[in-house]
Amino acid sequence: MTGLRTLWIALLVAIGLPVLGVAAIAAIAFAPDDYTGRILVVFEDQTDDTDAYMRLAGSDARPLRVITAIDGWIAESETPGTVAALRDTYGARFVFRDVGLGRAMAGCLGLASGPARPHGIIP
Protein backbone atom coordinates (compact mmCIF):
# COMPACT_ATOMS: atom_id res chain seq x y z
CA MET A 1 0.00 0.00 0.00
CA THR A 2 2.89 2.34 0.73
CA GLY A 3 4.24 1.79 -2.80
CA LEU A 4 0.93 2.80 -4.36
CA ARG A 5 0.78 5.89 -2.19
CA THR A 6 4.32 6.87 -3.20
CA LEU A 7 3.40 6.34 -6.85
CA TRP A 8 0.43 8.71 -6.56
CA ILE A 9 2.57 11.35 -4.86
CA ALA A 10 5.23 11.03 -7.57
CA LEU A 11 2.58 11.29 -10.28
CA LEU A 12 1.07 14.38 -8.66
CA VAL A 13 4.50 16.03 -8.44
CA ALA A 14 5.38 15.04 -12.04
CA ILE A 15 2.20 16.68 -13.34
CA GLY A 16 1.90 19.54 -10.86
CA LEU A 17 5.39 21.02 -11.07
CA PRO A 18 5.39 21.63 -14.84
CA VAL A 19 1.87 23.09 -14.67
CA LEU A 20 2.92 25.43 -11.86
CA GLY A 21 6.05 26.39 -13.80
CA VAL A 22 4.10 27.27 -16.94
CA ALA A 23 1.55 29.22 -14.89
CA ALA A 24 4.33 31.16 -13.13
CA ILE A 25 6.06 32.04 -16.41
CA ALA A 26 2.73 33.10 -17.96
CA ALA A 27 1.97 35.32 -14.96
CA ILE A 28 5.40 36.95 -15.18
CA ALA A 29 5.21 37.40 -18.97
CA PHE A 30 1.66 38.80 -19.10
CA ALA A 31 1.99 42.19 -20.81
CA PRO A 32 0.39 45.18 -19.05
CA ASP A 33 -1.80 47.48 -21.16
CA ASP A 34 0.83 50.23 -21.46
CA TYR A 35 3.77 47.92 -22.29
CA THR A 36 6.10 48.81 -25.18
CA GLY A 37 8.65 46.44 -26.65
CA ARG A 38 8.63 42.95 -28.17
CA ILE A 39 5.39 41.00 -27.65
CA LEU A 40 3.91 37.60 -28.45
CA VAL A 41 0.29 37.85 -29.62
CA VAL A 42 -2.16 34.94 -29.92
CA PHE A 43 -5.57 35.79 -31.37
CA GLU A 44 -8.85 34.27 -30.15
CA ASP A 45 -10.00 33.01 -33.53
CA GLN A 46 -8.05 31.26 -36.26
CA THR A 47 -6.83 34.05 -38.49
CA ASP A 48 -5.00 33.87 -41.75
CA ASP A 49 -1.70 35.70 -42.03
CA THR A 50 -3.17 38.70 -43.87
CA ASP A 51 -5.90 39.26 -41.27
CA ALA A 52 -3.48 38.89 -38.36
CA TYR A 53 -1.01 41.25 -40.04
CA MET A 54 -3.76 43.83 -40.53
CA ARG A 55 -4.85 43.52 -36.89
CA LEU A 56 -1.30 44.03 -35.66
CA ALA A 57 -0.69 46.96 -37.99
CA GLY A 58 -4.03 48.50 -36.99
CA SER A 59 -2.99 48.46 -33.35
CA ASP A 60 0.34 50.20 -34.12
CA ALA A 61 2.37 47.02 -33.58
CA ARG A 62 5.03 46.08 -36.13
CA PRO A 63 4.74 42.37 -37.05
CA LEU A 64 8.10 40.61 -37.06
CA ARG A 65 7.43 36.89 -37.42
CA VAL A 66 4.77 34.23 -37.35
CA ILE A 67 4.95 31.24 -35.01
CA THR A 68 2.84 28.67 -36.80
CA ALA A 69 2.98 26.02 -34.05
CA ILE A 70 0.78 28.16 -31.78
CA ASP A 71 -0.79 30.51 -34.36
CA GLY A 72 1.02 33.39 -32.69
CA TRP A 73 2.87 36.46 -33.87
CA ILE A 74 5.99 38.16 -32.59
CA ALA A 75 5.59 41.92 -32.93
CA GLU A 76 7.26 45.11 -31.79
CA SER A 77 5.24 47.74 -29.96
CA GLU A 78 6.56 51.28 -29.55
CA THR A 79 3.28 53.01 -28.67
CA PRO A 80 1.80 52.77 -25.16
CA GLY A 81 -1.72 51.36 -25.39
CA THR A 82 -0.98 48.93 -28.21
CA VAL A 83 -1.44 45.93 -25.92
CA ALA A 84 -4.78 47.27 -24.67
CA ALA A 85 -5.93 47.84 -28.25
CA LEU A 86 -4.94 44.30 -29.24
CA ARG A 87 -6.95 42.84 -26.37
CA ASP A 88 -9.99 45.12 -26.53
CA THR A 89 -10.40 45.90 -30.22
CA TYR A 90 -8.50 43.35 -32.27
CA GLY A 91 -9.37 40.10 -30.47
CA ALA A 92 -6.07 39.03 -28.95
CA ARG A 93 -6.49 36.18 -26.46
CA PHE A 94 -2.98 36.44 -25.03
CA VAL A 95 -0.35 39.16 -25.22
CA PHE A 96 2.94 38.29 -23.54
CA ARG A 97 6.02 40.46 -23.15
CA ASP A 98 9.61 39.36 -23.63
CA VAL A 99 11.04 38.16 -20.31
CA GLY A 100 14.34 36.92 -21.70
CA LEU A 101 13.47 33.22 -21.92
CA GLY A 102 12.86 33.29 -25.69
CA ARG A 103 14.75 30.52 -27.39
CA ALA A 104 15.44 28.63 -24.19
CA MET A 105 11.70 28.04 -23.77
CA ALA A 106 10.95 27.61 -27.48
CA GLY A 107 13.47 24.82 -27.97
CA CYS A 108 13.75 23.68 -31.57
CA LEU A 109 10.72 25.80 -32.56
CA GLY A 110 12.69 28.93 -31.67
CA LEU A 111 15.46 27.96 -34.07
CA ALA A 112 13.23 26.73 -36.91
CA SER A 113 12.72 30.04 -38.69
CA GLY A 114 15.99 31.73 -37.78
CA PRO A 115 16.35 35.13 -36.15
CA ALA A 116 13.69 37.75 -36.67
CA ARG A 117 14.51 40.35 -39.28
CA PRO A 118 13.84 43.90 -38.18
CA HIS A 119 11.15 45.59 -40.31
CA GLY A 120 10.38 42.30 -42.02
CA ILE A 121 8.30 39.20 -41.71
CA ILE A 122 9.43 35.61 -41.91
CA PRO A 123 6.53 33.45 -43.13
Side-chain angles (χ1 to χ4, degrees):
M1 196 57 127
T2 304
L4 186 59
R5 185 176 180 199
T6 304
L7 180 64
W8 280 109
I9 292 171
L11 183 63
L12 180 66
V13 168
I15 293 171
L17 284 180
V19 168
L20 287 174
V22 168
I25 291 171
I28 291 169
F30 186 79
D33 287 343
D34 60 347
Y35 179 76
T36 59
R38 192 163 285 194
I39 53 176
L40 167 65
V41 181
V42 179
F43 292 104
E44 289 181 5
D45 50 348
Q46 294 284 344
T47 60
D48 61 353
D49 290 347
T50 305
D51 185 38
Y53 192 91
M54 295 304 291
R55 289 182 187 189
L56 288 167
S59 69
D60 289 334
R62 187 175 66 237
L64 297 177
R65 119 173 58 183
V66 124
I67 300 178
T68 55
I70 61 169
D71 287 332
W73 283 77
I74 302 292
E76 191 77 29
S77 163
E78 296 176 358
T79 308
T82 298
V83 173
L86 282 166
R87 287 190 184 118
D88 299 338
T89 308
Y90 294 101
R93 177 178 294 154
F94 301 112
V95 181
F96 295 114
R97 61 189 169 140
D98 185 8
V99 291
L101 298 176
R103 295 198 182 205
M105 294 302 290
C108 60
L109 292 175
L111 300 174
S113 62
R117 292 180 293 158
H119 310 295
I121 182 170
I122 299 175

